[in-house]
Amino acid sequence: MAEKKGNFFFTSESVSEGHPDKICDQISDAVLDAILSKDQTARVACETFCTTGLVVVGGEITTNCYAPVNEIARDKIREIGYSGKMGGGFDADNCAVMVTLDQQSADICAGVDSSLETRDSNEEDTGAGDQGIMFGFACDETKEYMPLAINLSHAIVKKLADVRKNHPKINYLRPDSKSQVTIEYRDGVAARIEAIVVSTQHDPEVKGETDNDKAQAIIAKDIRELVIDEVLKDAPVKIDENTKLYFNPSGRFVIGGPQGDAGLTGRKIIVDTYGGYARHGGGAFSGKDPTKVDRSAAYAARHAAKNIVAAGLAEQCEIQLSYAIGVAKPTSIYVNTFTTSEHSDEKLVQIIEQVFDFRPKKIIENFDLLWMPAKRNGRFYQETAKYGHFGRDDLDLPWERLDKVDEIKKALESACVA
């Protein structure tokens, strides 16, 4: 976790929607979208595993609706790009899809559902779906209030996917890819790009070229011109003559996707959040309905941290929430501004407690988390399962809105007067 001072290098990575782990995240969240679109009372904990020729969807789901899981998985795999020749050995229509789902534990339900006789009838006191710790973070480094390295890493693989799908002269790229960006900080401020790494799956022949060295040269030229240069046009820092650029540094990337590596839901939690620049509580997001605070409370913590920074109270803000299963209010709230605020972290905790309600029921209501899938035509959570859950100005995510800035400033004024 980098502080806002000193000279250092910091690196973050991202992976494409065609990465095996991200395939699994998207399938799990597509199942969640399909179920919550029809049944907002459902409890979903959906896990996916994929490998050569096989997808396994399992977990615990309690619902009164039917979701065609097999069809959902194949549609998502096809949408990502794994079909026919472009699948590179993994095909949406020919892979086996095994579904093994059970109902959620009654013991967990007893801790969550406020309607049970043993629970308080006040729905606002709906208990957390599990114990655990969640972190939210924001900084003033980018307009999205995200660390620069992860921001650029996401932008690179997102642009690469766009080129793969839409550029008329690029027909050799396949879905699996990764990016990595190293930023040099001087006196705690991002000053330049030290290194960029891009690895992308490709056809055995690249634009008819069978010689691998020449093929890689074509790939490097195309990525530099169509991806890197485009992404960096509006970046706050640039590359220079000393920046190291690596394109397919292994020399060849034909075998990829589930054929090259097995995938699993929840294995890219750092990619999903802040690229390692802030701490992580360990809980994954995808495939979980919002009663699971691993997901919803992490969104709430990000929302609070982002609004604190946007209100000018700190340049960096990290918030930790902790929960006990079946208990509504967090067991603790911790704030760290890394010496970038003129206000004490203790005072910021008081302001946050005054402005934000971190009870699971209120988080769900404030962000509309149970109803978003239906409102977004069954495509809400699965869109977060690629290119990060935070800093997404392309999705209008409720936890990314700066709707508490004025309230925070008023709370600060009141605290100062007191």
Side-chain angles (χ1 to χ4, degrees):
M1 175 183 50
E3 294 190 12
K4 195 80 172 182
K5 58 185 178 180
N7 302 323
F8 55 90
F9 295 94
F10 193 86
T11 303
S12 293
E13 73 155 354
S14 183
V15 298
S16 71
E17 61 198 75
H19 186 280
D21 294 331
K22 278 289 139 198
I23 295 171
C24 294
D25 285 342
Q26 291 170 85
I27 292 173
S28 293
D29 271 341
V31 172
L32 175 65
D33 276 336
I35 291 173
L36 288 184
S37 293
K38 301 174 183 177
D39 177 14
Q40 287 78 43
T41 66
R43 296 287 182 263
V44 181
C46 181
E47 310 287 348
T48 304
F49 165 79
C50 69
T51 187
T52 305
L54 176 65
V55 174
V56 179
V57 183
E60 297 78 44
I61 296 178
T62 302
T63 182
N64 59 24
C65 75
Y66 169 73
V69 176
N70 188 300
E71 181 181 333
I72 290 169
R74 294 188 190 278
D75 286 347
K76 179 53 66 175
I77 294 166
R78 190 179 301 107
E79 177 187 308
I80 292 168
Y82 287 104
S83 62
K85 173 179 176 292
M86 294 309 296
F90 187 73
D91 193 310
D93 297 307
N94 295 323
C95 67
V97 178
M98 181 184 300
V99 180
T100 170
L101 294 165
D102 201 355
Q103 288 194 342
Q104 186 184 56
S105 163
D107 292 339
I108 295 176
C109 291
V112 176
D113 293 337
S114 60
S115 59
L116 297 180
E117 292 182 1
T118 56
R119 300 287 302 161
D120 191 317
S121 61
N122 183 357
E123 288 192 353
E124 307 303 338
D125 288 330
T126 298
D130 202 352
Q131 72 174 50
I133 56 176
M134 301 84 209
F135 286 92
F137 179 79
C139 62
D140 63 359
E141 216 166 87
T142 62
K143 63 181 178 62
E144 296 86 3
Y145 296 90
M146 288 289 286
L148 183 57
I150 188 64
N151 227 35
L152 292 179
S153 296
H154 284 322
I156 287 170
V157 287
K158 191 172 187 293
K159 183 63 177 178
L160 188 60
D162 178 65
V163 168
R164 169 173 63 89
K165 294 175 180 179
N166 300 311
H167 198 285
K169 296 183 179 180
I170 306 299
N171 60 0
Y172 60 83
L173 292 176
R174 289 178 177 174
D176 195 359
S177 63
K178 304 178 80 171
S179 66
Q180 185 172 286
V181 177
T182 301
I183 302 295
E184 180 180 355
Y185 288 81
R186 296 172 185 164
D187 194 24
V189 178
R192 57 181 291 273
I193 299 174
E194 168 68 11
I196 296 176
V197 182
V198 181
S199 295
T200 180
Q201 187 186 13
H202 58 87
D203 283 347
E205 292 186 13
V206 177
K207 294 183 177 179
E209 183 58 67
T210 56
D211 180 272
N212 187 62
D213 290 341
K214 293 180 180 178
Q216 296 306 318
I218 292 171
I219 294 172
K221 180 177 182 294
D222 286 344
I223 293 176
R224 175 63 192 271
E225 293 179 357
L226 301 175
V227 178
I228 302 301
D229 290 349
E230 290 296 316
V231 166
L232 297 182
K233 275 183 178 179
D234 300 320
V237 299
K238 307 296 181 183
I239 59 177
D240 56 35
E241 65 274 9
N242 295 316
T243 300
K244 306 174 186 69
L245 300 176
Y246 301 97
F247 302 117
N248 281 1
S250 68
R252 180 178 167 89
F253 189 0
V254 172
I255 299 173
Q259 186 184 23
D261 193 10
L264 193 64
T265 296
R267 205 159 53 181
K268 286 291 176 283
I269 58 175
I270 300 303
V271 171
D272 282 343
T273 52
Y274 309 102
Y277 200 85
R279 282 173 280 204
H280 195 295
F285 300 155
S286 291
K288 297 177 181 178
D289 74 75
T291 66
K292 280 73 172 173
V293 283
D294 276 341
R295 181 169 216 156
S296 53
Y299 292 167
R302 159 66 177 176
H303 180 240
K306 184 177 181 179
N307 276 267
I308 287 288
V309 174
L313 274 62
E315 296 173 10
Q316 288 190 10
C317 182
E318 183 181 76
I319 297 174
Q320 183 205 56
L321 304 175
S322 66
Y323 289 87
I325 188 168
V327 179
K329 291 184 178 180
T331 56
S332 68
I333 300 175
Y334 166 82
V335 174
N336 191 340
T337 55
F338 309 101
T339 70
T340 68
S341 175
E342 63 183 43
H343 310 287
S344 70
D345 292 340
E346 292 80 6
K347 178 180 284 188
L348 293 182
V349 170
Q350 294 173 2
I351 291 171
I352 288 168
E353 288 180 323
Q354 181 177 337
V355 174
F356 299 92
D357 193 331
F358 295 121
R359 289 176 293 175
K361 178 73 174 180
K362 295 303 294 183
I363 295 172
I364 290 169
E365 288 179 350
N366 290 339
F367 296 155
D368 223 10
L369 294 179
L370 290 173
W371 298 271
M372 274 296 183
K375 291 183 177 182
R376 300 283 177 90
N377 298 314
R379 294 186 63 89
F380 179 67
Y381 288 110
Q382 61 193 283
E383 294 299 324
T384 68
K386 54 185 179 181
Y387 315 124
H389 292 245
F390 306 124
R392 299 292 299 277
D393 56 8
D394 58 326
L395 295 180
D396 186 25
L397 300 173
W399 53 89
E400 290 295 310
R401 295 171 185 165
L402 297 176
D403 53 0
K404 295 291 185 178
V405 170
D406 291 340
E407 198 172 340
I408 288 170
K409 291 179 179 178
K410 290 178 182 178
L412 178 63
E413 291 175 1
S414 299
C416 291
V417 170

